[in-house]
Amino acid sequence: PADLTRLLVDAQPQILEVRRQFDMALDARSRIQAGQLSSRLQGMVDELDPLLGLVDDGLSAAVTLPVVLGADGNGPNTYLLLVQNEDELRPTGGFITTVGRLVVQDGEIVSLGFEGMDNQEDWTRPYPAAPWQMQEYMNANVLVLRDSNWFADFPTSARWAEYLYSYDHPGPLDGVIAFDQHFLVMLLGVLGPLEVDGAPYPITS
């Protein structure tokens, strides 16, 4: 990641110029009415459209990644990680069993730590009232960090997670990242088997 980040930072002027030209190409494509083309040209456009989507996503990632990875000259970025158990479904992917704190700068991990959610509440603090569904069906009167992803709108869940996390961990956060077992399967599918201390065999997807 650090090497990739350096390459992306060095290439930003060229990437931004390609982004500008590609946006012009997308605008031109939006004015083409494929149904009025010959069958041969229509087939070419049909093959081109999925590739345009891939290029669009790739350019967006190339522009955004240096910022996300703390390589925009503004110092390290700090992210709250929500580790979710999809076996107990919640709107953003699963019940929050663990939270982590990730600090990255220039594409390198500065620090990474995790802590469980068991008995983490400070009951001397004023917790907000839980949503009515939690009160009625789960007998939960207040909203705590492990339940902060109750909301189907992820930005709302992320804001509640940041707020409740700040009770015991003051300081600004640059974002919230949630993941579940399905994400780990996808990640291992890309990275391949991993050797983990204490595991007698490689961990695969």
Side-chain angles (χ1 to χ4, degrees):
D3 293 340
L4 173 63
T5 302
R6 281 191 290 271
L7 289 172
L8 289 174
V9 169
D10 291 342
Q12 279 304 297
Q14 297 96 319
I15 293 172
L16 291 173
E17 174 60 18
V18 172
R19 174 81 260 182
R20 185 187 69 81
Q21 294 189 26
F22 185 71
D23 286 340
M24 293 172 59
L26 289 178
D27 181 61
R29 168 63 188 94
S30 70
R31 296 195 299 271
I32 296 174
Q33 298 182 16
Q36 297 181 359
L37 300 175
S38 68
S39 58
R40 175 174 171 273
L41 287 176
Q42 188 171 353
M44 293 173 64
V45 170
D46 290 343
E47 292 180 5
L48 177 64
D49 282 346
L51 299 178
L52 292 177
L54 290 174
V55 174
D56 194 12
D57 290 343
L59 285 172
S60 296
V63 171
T64 304
L65 272 176
V67 178
V68 172
L69 295 174
D72 57 352
N74 293 320
N77 283 354
T78 302
Y79 297 100
L80 172 61
L81 307 180
L82 306 179
V83 184
Q84 303 178 131
N85 179 7
E86 66 187 39
D87 294 330
E88 184 176 344
L89 280 177
R90 292 294 174 89
T92 68
F95 179 67
I96 300 172
T97 60
T98 305
V99 295
R101 187 181 185 94
L102 169 66
V103 180
V104 292
Q105 184 170 15
D106 297 326
E108 296 186 355
I109 295 176
V110 177
S111 65
L112 174 64
F114 292 91
E115 56 186 293
M117 285 287 87
D118 294 334
N119 301 315
Q120 289 291 319
E121 293 77 24
D122 177 3
W123 295 116
T124 66
R125 305 294 298 271
Y127 285 89
W132 70 265
Q133 299 93 336
M134 295 186 69
Q135 295 188 40
E136 183 166 342
Y137 299 111
M138 299 180 66
N139 196 30
N141 294 320
V142 296
L143 185 67
V144 295
L145 179 56
R146 65 176 179 267
D147 294 323
S148 60
N149 64 341
W150 182 262
F151 308 94
D153 175 58
F154 185 76
T156 300
S157 288
R159 284 193 294 271
W160 277 115
E162 286 189 63
Y163 173 71
L164 294 167
Y165 182 74
S166 71
Y167 274 24
D168 298 315
H169 306 81
L173 294 169
D174 295 290
V176 178
I177 301 170
F179 60 91
D180 57 15
Q181 296 101 303
H182 189 67
F183 168 78
L184 295 178
V185 170
M186 295 170 60
L187 188 63
L188 285 167
V190 174
L191 298 178
L194 296 179
E195 300 287 344
V196 178
D197 289 343
Y201 49 81
I203 306 300
T204 71
S205 60

